[in-house]
């Protein structure tokens, strides 16, 4: 197996500086493995997609694309490799690395050199992806705001929080801002307008339909995996390969209730509480109740808009690599 490392050139400078040292360690550890590793650095937006598409077309299942980046880079490459024979492997280089939390050993073990040494021990399996389709007020498909989500898609307060968190990091990209931006933004947004006007309809795992009985909600999250927003856990029981999405809807709640729920939501303890609705679904729609207002959402950290959003689980859409648990012993 050949391994093509796609490295986000805008990643954490400390991680970028350490990639050469990590590769040198691999050379000393296993020269044959090193000979099968090739480094590709992204140069512009969308470059990761171009590189991944070229590798998939040229090598098929004889090579794996190793994404050295954050959730945005994984999202780009996952959309490119969906329904191809070429697997994806994640090595976290980003700020939140939320998808990696669902597929790698504990975070303190995420040392690049050890992960690279274990590439030949990676096992592969098919995982689901959730297709998110956006439609405008006329019912036309917004292709540029439609994509597959490998991690979490959401609409409502959390999208506003994420937008502010990204702005904080963009203004000053340091360790403190990267680790605290989301929770600081969450607290700030909670004291503002918390509700969004939309209705939703979901198809449950048994084939029955559920429709919302109100039109004012704090948020809706559509989860293929468990984490987003730098460690918030909207779907603690999500599984990547069960053919289902975990949907969490939080009603419009008072300020005091919101402050209470945000702590529970952070640690995945919100299920079963008043004002929180959780479902296992195969598909669904979210529709704005204000025809002149588009919903603002995000999938895997990337923003999108639409008057109506349709989502559907695509089983086995992506081949994903999983590191052995033994890698944790080397951290």
């Amino acid at each position: 197996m050949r391994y093509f490392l796609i490295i986000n050139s805008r990643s954490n400078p400390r991680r970028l500086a350490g990639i050469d040292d990590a590769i040198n360690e691999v050379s000393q550890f296993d020269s044959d493995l090193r000979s099968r590793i090739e480094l590709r650095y992204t140069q512009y937006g969308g470059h990761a997609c171009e590189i991944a598409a070229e590798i998939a077309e040229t090598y098929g299942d004889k090579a794996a694309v190793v994404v050295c980046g954050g959730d945005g880079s994984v999202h780009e490459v996952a959309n490119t490799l969906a329904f191809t024979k070429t697997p994806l492997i994640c090595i976290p280089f980003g700020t939140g690395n939320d998808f990696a939390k669902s597929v790698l050993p504990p975070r303190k073990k995420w040392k690049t050199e050890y992960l690279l040494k274990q590439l030949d021990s990676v096992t592969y399996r098919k995982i689901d992806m959730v297709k998110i389709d956006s439609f405008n007020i006329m019912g036309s498909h917004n292709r540029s705001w439609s994509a597959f989500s490998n991690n979490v898609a959401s609409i409502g307060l959390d999208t506003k929080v994420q937008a502010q968190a990204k702005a904080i990091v963009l203004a000053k990209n340091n360790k403190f801002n990267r680790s605290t931006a989301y929770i600081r933004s969450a607290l700030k947004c909670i004291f503002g307008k918390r509700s969004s006007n939309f209705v939703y309809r979901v198809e449950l795992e048994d084939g029955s339909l559920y429709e919302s009985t109100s039109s004012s909600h704090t948020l809706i999250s559509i989860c293929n995996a468990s984490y987003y927003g730098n460690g918030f856990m909207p779907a603690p029981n999500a599984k990547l390969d069960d053919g289902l999405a975990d949907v969490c809807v939080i009603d419009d709640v008072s300020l005091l209730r919101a402050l209470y729920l945000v702590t529970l939501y952070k640690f995945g303890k919100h299920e079963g509480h008043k004002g929180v609705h959780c479902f296992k679904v195969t598909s669904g729609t979210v529709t704005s109740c204000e025809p002149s207002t588009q919903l603002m959402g995000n999938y895997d950290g990337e923003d999108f808009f639409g008057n109506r959003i349709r989502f559907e689980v695509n089983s086995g859409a992506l081949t994903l690599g999983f590191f052995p648990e033994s890698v944790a012993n080397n951290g």
Side-chain angles (χ1 to χ4, degrees), residues 5-267:
L5 274 59
I6 298 181
I7 303 167
N8 185 345
S9 55
R10 295 171 296 175
S11 294
N12 185 316
R14 180 178 58 84
R15 287 191 176 276
L16 288 175
I19 190 67
D20 289 337
D21 291 338
I23 289 295
N24 286 336
E25 280 206 31
V26 173
S27 298
Q28 298 173 18
F29 171 74
D30 187 338
S31 59
D32 174 67
L33 173 60
R34 174 62 187 92
S35 71
R36 292 181 279 114
I37 295 175
E38 185 173 331
L39 279 60
R40 301 280 188 92
Y41 288 86
T42 60
Q43 302 299 322
Y44 47 82
H47 194 196
C49 295
E50 295 175 10
I51 296 171
E54 174 195 342
I55 293 166
E57 183 176 352
T58 304
Y59 295 97
D61 61 359
K62 305 302 181 185
V65 173
V66 184
V67 180
C68 300
D71 293 315
S73 296
V74 173
H75 170 81
E76 282 188 56
V77 175
N79 270 264
T80 301
L81 296 182
F83 305 105
T84 72
K85 295 180 179 181
T86 304
L88 181 153
I89 299 172
C90 301
I91 292 185
F93 264 46
T95 301
N97 300 307
D98 288 300
F99 184 64
K101 293 180 177 72
S102 295
V103 301
L104 291 182
R107 181 167 186 153
K108 64 182 180 179
K109 310 301 181 183
W110 293 355
K111 291 189 176 181
T112 303
E113 59 269 30
Y114 293 117
L115 294 176
L116 290 177
K117 289 176 183 178
Q118 293 287 334
L119 284 174
D120 279 342
S121 299
V122 165
T123 57
Y124 302 95
R125 72 172 190 259
K126 296 283 188 179
I127 68 163
D128 308 328
M129 295 182 76
V130 181
K131 184 67 167 66
I132 308 293
D133 285 300
S134 168
F135 299 87
N136 64 24
I137 190 173
M138 303 300 294
S140 299
H141 186 229
N142 294 320
R143 184 176 179 182
S144 61
W145 287 334
S146 301
F148 286 95
S149 173
N150 53 276
N151 191 37
V152 176
S154 64
I155 295 167
L157 181 66
D158 48 352
T159 297
K160 299 175 186 176
V161 170
Q162 180 162 273
Q164 290 204 18
K166 287 193 291 187
I168 289 173
V169 175
L170 185 62
K172 193 169 185 179
N173 190 351
N174 57 35
K175 184 177 181 180
F176 175 76
N177 278 349
R178 289 193 298 269
S179 62
T180 64
Y182 197 90
I183 189 64
R184 287 158 57 195
S185 299
L187 291 173
K188 181 178 179 180
C189 289
I190 281 175
F191 284 92
K193 185 179 184 297
R194 293 179 299 280
S195 64
S196 296
N197 294 323
F198 61 78
V199 293
Y200 63 92
R201 183 185 189 194
V202 293
E203 182 178 357
L204 304 178
E205 57 182 320
D206 64 2
S208 63
L209 298 177
Y210 177 89
E211 296 189 41
S212 56
T213 56
S214 66
S215 59
S216 185
H217 308 281
T218 298
L219 62 85
I220 179 170
S221 58
I222 303 152
C223 311
N224 191 43
S226 294
Y227 301 91
Y228 76 149
N230 200 10
F232 277 70
M233 197 187 303
N237 300 310
K239 295 182 179 179
L240 289 165
D241 56 358
D242 61 356
L244 299 168
D246 286 43
V247 169
C248 175
V249 184
I250 298 181
D251 293 339
D252 184 15
V253 293
S254 68
L255 175 59
L256 288 178
R257 187 69 179 166
L259 289 170
Y260 173 66
L261 287 176
V262 73
T263 303
L264 299 177
Y265 196 67
K266 167 70 175 175
F267 298 103

Side-chain angles (χ1 to χ4, degrees), residues 238-304:
K239 295 182 179 179
L240 289 165
D241 56 358
D242 61 356
L244 299 168
D246 286 43
V247 169
C248 175
V249 184
I250 298 181
D251 293 339
D252 184 15
V253 293
S254 68
L255 175 59
L256 288 178
R257 187 69 179 166
L259 289 170
Y260 173 66
L261 287 176
V262 73
T263 303
L264 299 177
Y265 196 67
K266 167 70 175 175
F267 298 103
K269 304 295 185 181
H270 53 288
E271 295 185 359
H273 284 263
K274 182 180 178 181
V276 178
H277 310 276
C278 298
F279 311 92
K280 294 275 190 179
V281 313
T282 57
S283 64
T285 58
V286 183
T287 306
S288 173
C289 294
E290 303 173 12
S292 61
T293 302
Q294 293 197 105
L295 298 169
M296 178 181 179
N298 76 82
Y299 32 58
D300 308 339
E302 303 298 315
D303 296 336
F304 69 87

